[in-house]
Amino acid sequence: MNDSCGAIEKLLAELAELGVVSAYEIGDAMTLSVWFGLVVRFRDGFYRWQEGAVKQRHLGTDPSGCAIRVARRHAELQADVPPWWEGLVSVLRGDVTKGHP
């Protein structure tokens, strides 16, 4: 297991403990999709997440602290879901994704 893979697995576990169960590793062992538009990558010893043009980073030695920050932003996004989201989900993925962005 490389450093990126281990760091992403730790972050994923921390997010799950905080109730963010929709996050998933996209297949490259260094990127998590947390919610539409909110992506976290591990590179050069830092967790780096991006939401649109906004970029943040957090030390890779603190997956718990990073998870808290990402979970907070995730909650903010879910509290103000854009009105077009439900329509887009049903068109792109069908009914299977209800509750799982």
Side-chain angles (χ1 to χ4, degrees):
M1 178 185 316
N2 63 33
D3 290 341
S4 294
C5 186
I8 288 297
E9 286 180 3
K10 288 176 186 174
L11 181 60
L12 190 57
E14 293 287 343
L15 285 168
E17 284 186 29
L18 293 171
V20 180
V21 295
S22 61
Y24 60 93
E25 192 270 318
I26 65 165
D28 64 0
M30 52 194 275
T31 308
L32 282 181
S33 176
V34 181
W35 209 52
F36 74 97
L38 180 58
V39 177
V40 182
R41 291 178 180 86
F42 184 82
R43 183 171 47 99
D44 301 328
F46 286 93
Y47 291 105
R48 301 167 190 269
W49 68 93
Q50 182 171 349
E51 175 204 343
V54 177
K55 296 179 181 180
Q56 302 286 331
R57 72 180 191 166
H58 195 90
L59 283 175
T61 57
D62 183 21
S64 178
C66 181
I68 290 168
R69 292 177 70 190
V70 171
R72 185 178 305 133
R73 185 61 188 139
H74 177 261
E76 291 169 353
L77 289 169
Q78 285 194 320
D80 191 24
V81 177
W84 50 263
W85 172 245
E86 289 301 324
L88 179 64
V89 168
S90 64
V91 168
L92 294 178
R93 299 188 198 163
D95 292 336
V96 176
T97 60
K98 287 195 183 210
H100 302 293

